[in-house]
Amino acid sequence: MSTTSTTSTTGTTGTTAFGTEEAPAADAPVTTARRARPGRGRKRLGPGRPVRYGWALGPLLLLAVWAAGSGLGLFDPRSLPAPWTVAGTAGDLVAEGRLQSHLATSAQRALLGLLFGVAAGLVLALVSGLSRLGEAVIDGPVQIKRAVPSLALIPLLILWFGIGETMKVVTIALGVFVPVYIHTHNGLRTIDNRYAELAETVRLGRWAFVRHVVLPGALPGFLLGMRFAVTGAWLALVVVEQVNATSGIGYMMELARTYGQTDVILVGLVVYGLLGLVSDALVRIVERRALSWRRTLAG
Amino acid sequence: MAAHAGGLRNTAKNTAKNTAKDTAEDTAGGRATVRIEGLVRSFGERRVLDGLDLSIATGEFVALLGRSGSGKSTLLRALARLDHDVAGSGVLTAPDHVSVVFQDARLLPWKRLLDNVVLGLDGPSAEQHGKDALAEVGLAGRERAWPVELSGGEQQRVSLVRSLVREPRLLLADEPFGALDALTRIRMHALLRRLCERHRPAVLLVTHDVDEAIALADRVVVLDRGRIAADLPVDLPAPRRHGSTAYAALRGRLLGHLGVELGETAP
Ligand SMILES: Nc1ncnc2c1ncn2[C@@H]1O[C@H](COP(=O)(O)OP(=O)(O)OP(=O)(O)O)[C@@H](O)[C@H]1O
Ligand SMILES: [Mg+2]
């Protein structure tokens, strides 16, 4: 961003990238000097280079507002305890071992749901993307499933699977597979047909075609789907744990609600938030590594 | 996506009746790599190729000229057997071992240069061949670069390498230099000629640049109304200079077949 702000002042003088403008002789040295620095003298329309640690900026700002509000007594501590109170409570919960055990349970549910959901979404997307018949069979039902929120299925799932772990994992998986399917499928269908022609002329077999063209071509879509999927997994987790559970972060929060322990609820919220943030960051790191061949605005 | 996958499904639904067997070295008709007789290709009611005959000898370099929309790409795609859903008939004999250079370099953006070059080849010798070939076109040391990191001319060189490294018996090129600037074009002409002399494939080069055709080819054919309307050998002395009278005469005849009166271009 710094690049953009410094150049915007000079950009108005009309230096072109091609240097074809006729500048008055007196101006000439100034113009050349400016042009010697790469990219100056032209307003950049892309977002520019990434800000270092930029991802932390927003959350830290939020934290600062919260802390300032509590310190100045703007928030009622019973509705919104101060950050330090919440931190203290978190410390106590960790000391008692409760936070870890709830977190472990929650993480296990989310990961299992994610695993099954992603696998299902990926396989369905490949089948439906690689054959017309598969598409005819699979795509319709998935679109129908997409229109029904997974959470609305919970009553049915409870009847089918009881209130145990299976129901929870299935609910999460059902929420996860839709974005993975949609984005992977979209990635598959938008692979340029010209690459398929190329594959034919270099005489790739079907499997080699899938490996060298289809899968890498669909990878950006799949990873985008993954980002929705990980966030979706935590969201579904919250709900299933608050509906019917005897362990997990959601249960801990639900229990705290009945005792009016706002600070514990906030600990739960912060943990959820951190989990979401961390898992999204992980997918983004994978994305950056796997898609280093792309040069986009994201940099 | 199913469209692409369907593209690989080769013969079953092919409405064009290719009798495309890999020709034995020399067919009865002589040393022909390509033999086309009465080729018809139509889109809807329009017959784009209408009983076209053409043969290309082994190692011969043929340039194909024609007005825009005359069916040059259609012919080329028929030879490359890329016209799966096109209606047509005729006899078409072409080797199985065909390489295509497209107008866009068509490198897979997610593969590094060397992997693009050896795409579909296997074995350790392929890698070495690929490296040598890249060096041959001045891209030594760039094997691990991504295609986006290359200029247009560099990408087209890689695409040329990709098609020649598999030693095709027939090289098909559809306006391969169309997107390049004049200077790069001249360099690419020299490169293409050198590579072709080395690998000796038969070549069919589609272009709408008469000078490019004369500069490169042994024979220039003009496609018009679905058939070969003119078939002229290029027997000019080695440095094919623009200035010579023979050159000007050939150029004039070709332009005439393309419907351009010389008076219009040379005042
Ligand atoms: N897939 C298609 N569907 C319908 N019509 C097509 C299709 N492909 C080509 N045509 C038509 O066939 C004719 C010949 O097209 P072709 O691409 O072979 O021309 P060309 O000689 O390569 O032209 P150019 O020099 O502009 O590339 C054109 O009129 C075009 O509209
Ligand atoms: Mg064309």
Side-chain angles (χ1 to χ4, degrees):
Chain A
M1 288 317 290
S2 58
T3 321
T4 319
S5 52
T6 52
T7 50
S8 55
T9 49
T10 56
T12 51
T13 54
T15 318
T16 71
F18 307 102
T20 47
E21 87 287 13
E22 294 158 357
D27 279 353
V30 183
T31 320
T32 347
R34 206 190 291 137
R35 217 183 280 141
R37 285 148 74 206
R40 299 299 157 103
R42 159 72 66 208
K43 198 166 184 169
R44 179 185 208 151
L45 290 178
R49 272 181 300 164
V51 183
R52 236 206 282 185
Y53 304 117
W55 55 271
L57 193 62
L60 283 179
L61 212 61
L62 203 62
L63 189 62
V65 170
W66 180 15
S70 299
L72 294 171
L74 293 178
F75 304 137
D76 175 3
R78 275 170 306 167
S79 326
L80 186 65
W84 39 91
T85 317
V86 173
T89 308
D92 294 344
L93 286 171
V94 171
E96 294 165 23
R98 278 168 59 199
L99 189 60
Q100 297 94 305
S101 85
H102 285 309
L103 184 59
T105 318
S106 292
Q108 195 195 349
R109 285 173 188 152
L111 283 180
L112 278 177
L114 202 57
L115 194 72
F116 289 118
V118 169
L122 194 59
V123 169
L124 289 178
L126 284 177
V127 173
S128 129
L130 289 176
S131 90
R132 288 281 185 209
L133 183 64
E135 181 171 30
V137 173
I138 292 171
D139 201 57
V142 175
Q143 299 298 339
I144 293 173
K145 162 67 194 69
R146 190 183 165 199
V148 179
S150 343
L151 307 181
L153 289 173
I154 289 186
L156 191 61
L157 293 175
I158 290 180
L159 283 181
W160 285 356
F161 300 108
I163 55 167
E165 290 302 296
T166 316
M167 180 274 287
K168 299 185 177 66
V169 171
V170 169
T171 308
I172 297 171
L174 279 176
V176 157
F177 101 92
V178 173
V180 172
Y181 172 87
I182 300 277
H183 291 282
T184 311
H185 188 235
N186 187 48
L188 282 168
R189 304 176 124 234
T190 48
I191 295 175
D192 204 323
N193 193 33
R194 297 172 313 147
Y195 295 140
E197 278 187 356
L198 171 71
E200 287 179 47
T201 62
V202 300
R203 310 211 285 162
L204 291 189
R206 184 172 258 280
W207 169 237
F209 172 61
V210 170
R211 194 157 72 93
H212 294 298
V213 180
V214 174
L215 292 181
L219 192 60
F222 168 70
L223 287 171
L224 182 62
M226 276 302 286
R227 285 184 61 187
F228 286 103
V230 290
T231 347
W234 296 116
L235 283 180
L237 185 71
V238 179
V239 177
V240 293
E241 287 189 338
Q242 294 192 350
V243 170
N244 254 306
T246 50
S247 58
I249 299 285
Y251 167 73
M252 183 185 86
M253 289 165 70
E254 188 56 22
L255 204 63
R257 185 185 63 80
T258 51
Y259 295 116
Q261 297 165 319
T262 327
D263 48 343
V264 175
I265 296 181
L266 277 174
V267 170
L269 284 179
V270 170
V271 169
Y272 274 139
L274 285 177
L275 287 174
L277 215 59
V278 167
S279 41
D280 189 56
L282 283 179
V283 179
R284 284 218 254 183
I285 289 172
V286 172
E287 204 171 34
R288 182 159 311 174
R289 302 211 131 196
L291 304 182
S292 52
W293 51 268
R294 283 209 300 195
R295 200 182 281 163
T296 60
L297 286 181
Chain B
M1 187 43 238
H4 323 307
L8 276 183
R9 203 183 312 121
N10 230 339
T11 43
K13 284 214 277 180
N14 194 349
T15 39
K17 290 174 206 119
N18 292 354
T19 36
K21 288 175 240 120
D22 200 350
T23 39
E25 257 309 307
D26 301 323
T27 39
R31 301 177 55 81
T33 296
V34 171
R35 275 226 326 271
I36 302 173
E37 283 162 27
L39 191 71
V40 174
R41 288 291 184 268
S42 12
F43 297 104
E45 289 298 292
R46 264 198 72 204
R47 284 188 157 206
V48 173
L49 301 182
D50 191 7
L52 180 141
D53 301 320
L54 177 69
S55 54
I56 301 175
T58 305
E60 191 183 19
F61 196 132
V62 176
L64 175 64
L65 286 172
R67 285 182 243 202
S68 178
S70 56
K72 304 184 294 295
S73 299
T74 306
L75 173 58
L76 205 89
R77 294 171 62 80
L79 277 167
R81 278 168 234 153
L82 287 173
D83 54 348
H84 298 288
D85 295 321
V86 183
S89 60
V91 180
L92 189 154
T93 325
D96 258 350
H97 224 78
V98 174
S99 277
V100 182
V101 185
F102 300 93
Q103 178 165 8
D104 55 319
R106 212 167 286 200
L107 304 178
L108 294 177
W110 48 79
K111 294 226 174 259
R112 297 178 188 274
L113 288 201
L114 186 56
D115 296 329
N116 259 296
V117 168
V118 301
L119 181 67
L121 302 174
D122 36 30
S125 65
E127 293 248 314
Q128 195 52 49
H129 273 143
K131 268 188 199 164
D132 295 345
L134 277 174
E136 208 174 351
V137 300
L139 287 169
R142 305 288 302 272
E143 292 90 357
R144 290 190 48 77
W146 297 114
V148 282
E149 296 169 345
L150 267 62
S151 74
E154 287 170 334
Q155 293 190 13
Q156 200 52 282
R157 272 186 266 165
V158 177
S159 142
L160 210 57
V161 165
R162 178 181 59 199
S163 36
L164 287 170
V165 80
R166 38 209 89 220
E167 308 202 328
R169 297 198 32 222
L170 174 63
L171 178 70
L172 302 170
D174 196 348
E175 299 185 33
F177 313 130
L180 304 180
D181 65 279
L183 214 62
T184 313
R185 235 168 209 253
I186 295 173
R187 292 232 176 86
M188 295 291 287
H189 287 170
L191 177 66
L192 179 61
R193 259 216 298 246
R194 210 173 66 228
L195 291 174
C196 285
E197 266 155 34
R198 173 95 42 87
H199 302 278
R200 283 262 147 232
V203 183
L204 183 65
L205 171 86
V206 167
T207 172
H208 46 221
D209 179 347
V210 175
D211 292 311
E212 182 167 283
I214 301 176
L216 291 171
D218 304 321
R219 184 152 70 96
V220 183
V221 297
V222 178
L223 183 58
D224 191 27
R225 284 187 217 107
R227 295 173 191 233
I228 299 299
D231 187 338
L232 305 173
V234 183
D235 36 15
L236 298 177
R240 295 175 178 175
R241 291 239 172 70
H242 279 231
S244 77
T245 34
Y247 186 105
L250 181 59
R251 187 169 189 273
R253 285 180 69 191
L254 288 171
L255 283 173
H257 283 293
L258 292 168
V260 182
E261 292 308 318
L262 247 190
E264 292 174 32
T265 51

